[in-house]
Amino acid sequence: KRLSMVKTAALELTTRCRLECPKCERTIMKKKEKLANVDMTMELVDFYCASGFDKIILSGSYGDPIYHPDFLEIVKRLKAAGKVVWISTNGSGKSKEFFRELFTVLDINDQVSFAIDGYYGSAGGYRVNFTESDFEKAIEVLEMGSKEFDVRVRWQYIPFSFNEQDIEKARDLAHSKNIHFMIKKSSRWDGPDDP
């Protein structure tokens, strides 16, 4: 289908996330009030499986989709229904085996984007609770996805003052491992005076 004819739905599967990024809506809401974890029901997932949408984006504005308790089952159902699946995640806190199982379900039309804002030593500067071992595992998982499976993987990098010196090193690392690297401007900042 032509790109303009593809019907797309973006789903927030969950409010669960292990990170506490300062400008994330979930983090802000959690500080203001007690925020309960909310997960999309499987009945609603089945509705989207049966819908006329061609592509389903599993995004993470309020949570990271991989933390839905039934995430792998959701992806399997979407793929069984013939959907193209694009996933946006930080990728932290899950095992390589988890991602191996995910990649076996996906195909060349699908995409997994890892939001990793930095390089060794700087990647946890904004994504609070993202550790050095999370960074190393994420790179290994991205490389596994690009070399062993027919799935598009991307390293999405938001520049900040603390990580901009690492952009070229990160880009070189990504290219050496056949990982698509992209710079993304954040829409959550209030201007040049925003700390």
Side-chain angles (χ1 to χ4, degrees), residues 10 12 57-61 86-90 111 113-118 126-127 154-164 167 170-171 180-189:
E12 287 280 345
I57 299 172
L58 304 177
S59 58
S61 292
W86 284 19
I87 301 164
S88 179
T89 180
N90 176 257
Q111 178 174 282
S113 293
F114 279 65
I116 306 169
D117 306 322
Y126 171 67
R127 299 194 186 269
R154 298 180 349 165
W155 176 350
Q156 176 188 292
Y157 190 115
I158 299 174
F160 296 94
S161 60
F162 62 83
N163 71 8
E164 61 189 355
I167 292 173
R171 187 188 319 266
H180 178 75
F181 183 83
M182 67 171 282
I183 300 289
K184 182 177 180 186
K185 181 180 176 185
S186 176
S187 61
R188 293 185 173 165
W189 300 102

Side-chain angles (χ1 to χ4, degrees), residues 111-120 122-123 135 138-139 142-143 146 152-160 163-185:
Q111 178 174 282
V112 182
S113 293
F114 279 65
I116 306 169
D117 306 322
Y119 192 68
Y120 291 100
S122 67
F135 176 81
I139 299 303
L142 284 164
E143 183 177 25
S146 71
R152 291 182 289 166
V153 293
R154 298 180 349 165
W155 176 350
Q156 176 188 292
Y157 190 115
I158 299 174
F160 296 94
N163 71 8
E164 61 189 355
Q165 75 282 353
D166 293 331
I167 292 173
E168 290 310 312
K169 289 186 283 189
R171 187 188 319 266
D172 290 345
L173 177 63
H175 288 208
S176 74
K177 296 182 179 294
N178 198 34
I179 300 165
H180 178 75
F181 183 83
M182 67 171 282
I183 300 289
K184 182 177 180 186
K185 181 180 176 185

Side-chain angles (χ1 to χ4, degrees), residues 14 24-25 33-34 40 45 50 54 59 63 72 74 84 86 101 104 136 141-142 158 160 170 172 179 181 186:
T14 186
C24 173
E25 291 296 326
E33 58 191 69
K34 185 172 169 128
M40 184 177 282
V45 170
D54 304 302
S59 58
L72 291 171
I74 289 169
V84 172
W86 284 19
E101 185 175 350
T104 61
E136 291 171 1
V141 167
L142 284 164
I158 299 174
F160 296 94
D172 290 345
I179 300 165
F181 183 83
S186 176

